[in-house]
Amino acid sequence: MSPVSRRWIYVAVVYFCLAVGLGVFMGISGDHRMMSVHAHLNLLGWVTLSLVGIIYHYFPKAAASRLASLQFWLHNLALPVMMVALALLISGKPEAGPVLGSGALAMLLAVLLFAGNLLWRRA
Ligand code: HEM
Ligand code: HEM
């Protein structure tokens, strides 16, 4: 597997640990307020990062492009910002809302970079 794919998968595994850790905490404590943080750490972290890593393995041209690198950094900057802001929002800090929104827009941009990169460099 290429170093590019490995990079995505290594980060995915870190999110998997964090997300499942939070899931177990929610289960044990009975406090499910952070459900959405748990769900998105799992889905935008573990699942999406793993999928992107695996998909880039099959699209080496796209994986080698600058867009892929930009997408990696944008995704991995946006996700922690989004998750911290979402946790703050859920904890009663509405001022985190615009930060969450900005993180989400950055994430959308990362997703669009991925789509564009795959569709334009299909090998
Ligand atoms: C040991 C592992 C896990 C534990 C203990 C756990 C625990 C929980 C708990 C307590 C909730 C809140 C349920 C509720 O309030 O209705 C939840 C929700 C959720 N979990 Fe997990 N979880 C685990 C793993 C995962 C994994 C691996 C994924 C995805 C890959 C995942 C995705 C979700 C999603 C999407 C929700 C929201 C479900 C909804 O919308 O009702 N969880 N989890
Ligand atoms: C920028 C990216 C994303 C944004 C801004 C976003 C936003 C949201 C919002 C606003 C909700 C409703 C939360 C609530 O009612 O309390 C939600 C729920 C959910 N989203 Fe996302 N989402 C994103 C990406 C994803 C992705 C990539 C997946 C799956 C691969 C996903 C899966 C879910 C699931 C399963 C729920 C229901 C569980 C929950 O309430 O947390 N989301 N999302």
Side-chain angles (χ1 to χ4, degrees):
M1 188 168 270
S2 76
V4 173
S5 290
R6 280 172 202 271
R7 193 163 70 153
W8 286 91
I9 290 167
Y10 289 149
V11 183
V13 166
V14 174
Y15 278 110
F16 195 24
C17 297
L18 288 175
V20 168
L22 181 57
V24 170
F25 166 78
M26 293 192 309
I28 292 173
S29 66
D31 180 351
H32 294 186
R33 280 178 304 161
M34 292 295 154
M35 181 182 86
S36 205
V37 177
H38 161 76
H40 290 88
L41 277 177
N42 262 316
L43 296 168
L44 276 169
W46 164 234
V47 177
T48 303
L49 291 172
S50 297
L51 264 180
V52 171
I54 294 166
I55 290 169
Y56 273 143
H57 177 69
Y58 293 102
F59 291 81
K61 249 197 214 165
S65 81
R66 278 216 182 141
L67 282 188
S69 186
L70 188 61
Q71 178 209 347
F72 177 84
W73 289 110
L74 201 56
H75 191 118
N76 285 300
L77 192 78
L79 187 51
V81 168
M82 277 179 76
M83 294 300 99
V84 172
L86 180 56
L88 289 172
L89 195 68
I90 293 169
S91 314
K93 304 236 169 3
E95 44 302 359
V99 181
L100 176 56
S102 311
L105 285 176
M107 181 60 78
L108 174 62
L109 188 60
V111 170
L112 293 175
L113 283 178
F114 179 55
N117 191 22
L118 270 201
L119 298 176
W120 285 316
R121 290 171 222 260
R122 285 184 217 122

